[in-house]
Every structure is written in C-alpha cells, then in structure tokens.
Amino acid sequence: MSVDALRTALQAEHAAIYGYGAVGAHLTGDLREVARQAENAHRNRRDEVALRVEAGGGGFVAAQPAYALPFEVTDARSAMALAVRLEEGSAGAWREVLSATDGDDRRLALDALIACAVMATRWRKAGQIEPLTLPFPGGV
Amino acid sequence: MFGPGDPATLSGVHSGITRRGLLRAVAATASLAGVSAAAGCDLFGGSGDDQENATPEMRDLLAGTAALAAAYEGAIDRVPSLTGRLTGPRDAHRAHVEALAQALGLPVPQGSGSGSGPSDSAGALSALAELESDGVEAARQACLTGPSRLASLVGTIAAARACHLEILR
C-alpha cells in the first residue's frame, strides 16, 4: 500500500514538473526565478520518491510525454493560477500518502504536503488570488 | 530552464492530448479518498472507535488548536485593522477544532478567551507568527507519531499552519 501511494504521488510530481514548463514560460524576473526554484523542488522530490518506489518494488514510474493543462496559460496571471493548481494538486496527492505510510515515508509525505501548500500560498499572494490559504490544503 | 518554452507549441501539444489530463495524476487523490472511505474511515479520520484516537497527544493538539483560534480572535479584537488579514487563518483554526473534535470523538472545546497580547499591528503579527511556528511543529510531530487514520487530517492542519506563516509575513 505504501508503494502504491508513493507511485501516485510520483505521478503527481511528474505532472507538476511538466506544468511548470508552461508557468515559467509566461513569467519574467523574480517570478520566473520563483518558478524555477519551485520546479526544482518538484524535480528533487520526484528523484527521491522514484528511488523509494523502485527500492520498494514499485518499479519505474515514467512521466507521460505530455499533460493537458486545466486551462489555457496565456499570461503571467494565468501562469500563476496554474502554479496554484499544480501545487494544490501535488499537496492533495501527498496528503493521501500520509495515511498509507509510516516512518520515513510519512515524514517525506508530510514535508512534501507542507512544501506544496506553502508554495501554493506564495503563488496566491504573488498573483493576488483569493483566498490566500485554505483551511485544509490538499483537500479533505 | 523550464523545459519547452514556446507557448504556441505547448498550446498545440496540450490541445491534442485530452486523455492524459494534467489533473489525472493529481486526480488519483479522489479515487484514493474513495478507498479510505470504503475502509471505514470518514474524511476526518473518524470511525467507530474514535476514542482510541483521543490520546493525550491528540487531546493536546485539540486544545492547542482551540488556543490558536482564540489568539487570532484576540488579535482581531485588539487590532481591528488586521481583520481582513487574520479572518482566514482564524476560520481555518476553527474548522480544525471542529474536525479534530469529530475525529477524536470529543466535544468541541469552549472558547478559552482571547487573552492578552500586543495591541499594535507589528507586535500582533509577530506574536501570532510565533504561535503558528510552534503550532506547525506540534501538528507535525502529532502527524508523524499518531495513528494512521488521523495522519491525513493532522498533516493537513500542519500544512495550513505553515501557510498562515506566509500570510503573517
């Protein structure tokens, strides 16, 4: 069950990394740098989770060649809205891992949930997207 | 740096792929939630033996959550100009109290009063940030050491508290 949960979270990380390609393409300056750092955080997490999945017998989880975006990204505003969706989606995936894991895997999931939720809030602040935070990041 | 950088090209790629939704990977969340429900746990982690969840650590977390809600209420009373900024986190803490009480099979704690605190904006924000920071760690430890059925709820509470710190900055 633990490996299955991690596989699902890994797929979410793949999707987030892909989505940040569209986010970064529509941002400039400091915001583009924030996007780059956020993307790198997902890449680092993806690599760590991939190793755990393989070590746990879950095999290799490949990224899809492409992912359909939930809406068209045409400017900085829509790019930041997408970034919020990416982070909240990842947070939701990691939230589900918590109850299926313990020990180091739960710690990884918790740190990931917190990191994604905080990043979503930062994008909401930057894009002036209300509400700035949710009572239950990642859903209930 | 960000992978494919040509919006026009990306748009074409995305419009041609509808089966592999970006949200599909993330949408597994919904199906996993269904699994949890089928296993006998509701969305807040409760089940027929809620009292077993009400460990001293979880009772402390519930009391601490109620205290956080009260601290925000007090700050709003003392510094009304912060109302817009603090209402969201205050309401989140209230929602956490309700959810935790339900999951633990305990009554919702009654208000403990708003207490005292700084009456200036900077001081109030700083005091709340300190409480939230401690609260993140408390919820984090409770998530890591608590029962699996409460891990999602408590982890989400930890994440919400971390987000509140961003609002207080």
Side-chain angles (χ1 to χ4, degrees), chain A residues 8 11-12 15 18 20-21 24-26 32 35-36 39 64-70 85-86 89-90 92-93 95-96 98-99 106-107 110-111 113-114 117-118 121-122 125 133 135-137 140, chain B residues 1-2 4-5 7 10-11 13-14 17 20-23 25-26 28-29 32-33 36 43-44 92 95-96 99 140 143-144 146-148 151-153 155-156 158-160 162-164 166-167 169:
Chain A
T8 302
Q11 290 169 350
Y18 181 91
Y20 264 108
H26 289 85
R32 186 178 172 97
R36 188 189 67 79
E39 181 184 2
Q64 299 289 344
Y67 298 81
L69 299 180
R85 290 281 288 269
L86 296 174
S90 298
R95 176 189 177 279
E96 292 300 326
L98 289 172
S99 59
R106 188 185 291 181
R107 187 183 305 274
L110 178 58
D111 288 343
L113 165 58
I114 292 173
V118 168
T121 299
R122 289 176 182 166
K125 283 181 71 175
T133 186
F136 298 98
V140 291
Chain B
M1 180 183 303
F2 292 106
L10 274 180
S11 177
V13 169
H14 295 150
I17 300 173
R20 298 173 183 143
L22 175 60
L23 295 181
V26 198
T29 298
L32 280 176
S36 297
L43 290 174
F44 288 148
H96 297 166
R140 195 171 177 281
C143 175
L144 293 175
S148 294
S152 293
L153 171 60
T156 301
C163 292
H164 296 166
E166 294 295 318
I167 293 176
R169 286 176 180 155

Side-chain angles (χ1 to χ4, degrees), chain A:
Chain A
M1 187 175 182
S2 176
V3 170
D4 289 344
L6 289 175
R7 282 176 61 91
T8 302
L10 179 52
Q11 290 169 350
E13 291 294 342
H14 281 315
I17 291 165
Y18 181 91
Y20 264 108
V23 173
H26 289 85
L27 297 177
T28 59
D30 290 345
L31 289 175
R32 186 178 172 97
E33 175 60 19
V34 173
R36 188 189 67 79
Q37 293 177 6
E39 181 184 2
N40 281 341
H42 285 286
R43 288 186 182 279
N44 291 336
R45 200 175 299 123
R46 173 204 61 188
D47 293 345
E48 182 174 358
V49 180
L51 288 174
R52 292 198 189 200
V53 168
E54 290 199 56
F60 176 70
V61 181
Q64 299 289 344
Y67 298 81
L69 299 180
F71 48 80
E72 190 174 6
V73 180
T74 57
D75 52 19
R77 183 172 179 78
S78 55
M80 286 188 277
L82 175 60
V84 170
R85 290 281 288 269
L86 296 174
E87 297 294 351
E88 289 178 351
S90 298
W94 283 111
R95 176 189 177 279
E96 292 300 326
V97 176
L98 289 172
S99 59
T101 54
D102 56 17
D104 283 345
D105 285 346
R106 188 185 291 181
R107 187 183 305 274
L108 171 70
L110 178 58
D111 288 343
L113 165 58
I114 292 173
C116 294
V118 168
M119 200 64 232
T121 299
R122 289 176 182 166
W123 282 122
R124 285 173 177 275
K125 283 181 71 175
Q128 298 181 319
I129 300 169
E130 296 286 347
L132 292 181
T133 186
L134 305 174
F136 298 98
V140 291

Side-chain angles (χ1 to χ4, degrees), chain B residues 49-149:
Chain B
D49 51 359
D50 293 337
Q51 290 292 335
E52 290 184 9
N53 295 331
T55 60
E57 291 78 13
M58 288 299 170
R59 289 174 184 268
D60 286 348
L61 183 66
L62 175 58
T65 306
L68 274 168
Y72 273 86
E73 195 62 56
I76 289 171
D77 286 345
R78 287 187 294 275
V79 192
S81 62
L82 290 175
T83 299
R85 196 166 170 184
L86 301 183
T87 297
R90 179 203 62 189
D91 291 347
H93 290 304
R94 287 177 173 175
H96 297 166
V97 168
E98 296 273 352
L100 273 173
Q102 178 184 332
L104 300 178
L106 297 173
V108 173
Q110 297 304 305
S112 55
S114 56
S116 59
S119 55
D120 64 295
S121 176
L125 292 173
S126 177
L128 288 173
E130 189 171 342
L131 291 173
E132 288 281 15
S133 183
D134 291 345
V136 171
E137 190 54 28
R140 195 171 177 281
Q141 288 305 316
C143 175
L144 293 175
T145 61
S148 294
R149 68 164 52 121

